[in-house]
Amino acid sequence: MSYKNFPMVPRVVFGRGSFNQSGEILDPKRLNVNAPFIYLVDDVFKNNTWLLSRIPLAYDDKIIYISAAKEPKTSQVDTLVEEIILKTKDKPSGIIGIGGGSILDLAKAVSIMITNEGEAKDYQGWDLVKNEAVYHVGIPTLAGTGAEVSRTAVLTGPDKKLGINSDFTPFDQVILDSELTKDVPINQWFYTGMDCYIHCIESLNGTFLNAFSESYGNTALGLCKEVFLENKLSEVESQEKLMMASWHGGMSIAYSQVGVAHAMSYGLAYLLGTKHGVGNCIVFNHLEEYYPIGVKLFKEMIKVHNVEIPQNVCANLSDEDFNIMINIALNLEPLWENALGKSWKNIITPKKLKELYQKM
Ligand code: NAD
Ligand code: ZN
């Protein structure tokens, strides 16, 4: 048995207003005046002077606004890299992602593709990246995915949705300023928060569970319950605790895996473009059979916050559509093995998956 030797985010700042320290954190990392910092910023912040005025632009530094309406694509990474290489005099000093999981993943992928040849799709998988990435910083504005700590940058490519998993993927620096999450709309807050909750349930109920994952998973689960179930926290406390839940949830799956909800949600994402947070909620809502206690609590959380989970998203699909989703889901073998054990193929069949999708 050989155990995995994982890199972790080496530097992290936590605190309300810590975004103000970006300048002092980045300054020493500037390679030279021709090597700019490139900020990839969620376009929800365009015209938002409260946030933008605190981005410490100098020399040729640039902000590129990015829509998170769709999940990041490999082609989008390639286009961004080309644009950055063409427009900067020297290789950038750093790539800084400011946004939710979509923008954080883009920042990670772009920083990798600046120093590695070929196209982003060539690196979807495990340990395919050869060269160290450009210095990259993650500043989340939405909490739950764990993308700020994880070793993957999830991308949709021409034939699969799969992350660039590598030792060079994790951020060199993360800034956790919960104030940046204050204006997230409630539905989005819930969907992305539930991504974290589902990470915990899938990790804690998986066959890959070990003390490392369990300790992080239990911590994250406790925080999720405080935020989504008990409803006794102030807004600031709730935002801070959800940020830490996201972090611990991400750490928990680093040393285990996600499970049924994620596998099936990837199918929805690939075929219908359903976004990760809401997609997980759509699926998880129908997984009592696999996660009875987790799903029961999830339904209570929906009630407490009175959010809508979309229904009937698979109502008008053809057999061919179902097959596409089923194939995408079944290909994620480690997720099934974690969820159901080594003989998962006896439990989960294309027919079973179709029945489940038909309920959604
Ligand atoms: P997101 O980044 O897709 O953003 C969702 C919406 O929230 C967007 O409309 C965005 O503009 C908006 N938003 C973000 N911050 C806001 C703010 N402060 N105020 C108002 N609106 C704001 O959402 P997400 O759920 O954080 O990320 C989903 C993505 O993360 C998916 O692409 C998924 O594949 C990826 N993911 C990655 C990992 C990983 O480990 N790398 C893990 C889970 C999910
Ligand atoms: Zn997830």
Side-chain angles (χ1 to χ4, degrees), residues 42-45 68-69 71-72 99-103 105 108 141-143 145-147 150-154 161 180-185 188 192 195 199 253 262 266 275-277:
D42 190 312
D43 71 0
V44 75
F45 295 111
E71 296 197 338
S102 297
I103 306 298
D105 279 352
K108 294 196 234 181
T141 66
L142 180 55
T145 63
S150 76
R151 187 181 176 272
T152 185
V154 182
K161 178 176 169 182
L180 302 181
T181 67
K182 69 182 173 59
D183 296 320
V184 177
Q188 188 63 57
T192 301
D195 189 22
H199 290 158
I253 48 176
H262 275 76
Y266 271 44
K275 299 202 64 188
H276 189 75

Side-chain angles (χ1 to χ4, degrees), residues 8 43-44 64-65 83 113 123 129 148 151 163 175 233 241 263 286 303 313 324-325 335 349 357:
M8 284 171 54
D43 71 0
V44 75
I64 302 178
Y65 293 102
E83 179 185 337
M113 291 312 300
Y123 296 92
V129 180
E148 67 279 10
R151 187 181 176 272
I175 300 178
L233 304 173
K241 290 197 179 203
H286 297 282
K303 270 211 195 102
V313 297
I324 292 172
M325 290 198 295
L335 282 63
T349 57
Y357 274 128

Side-chain angles (χ1 to χ4, degrees), residues 119-138:
E119 297 175 74
K121 70 174 170 57
D122 306 335
Y123 296 92
Q124 285 180 285
W126 282 270
D127 301 303
L128 302 169
V129 180
K130 289 176 195 73
N131 306 319
E132 196 177 337
V134 166
Y135 174 74
H136 50 302
V137 179

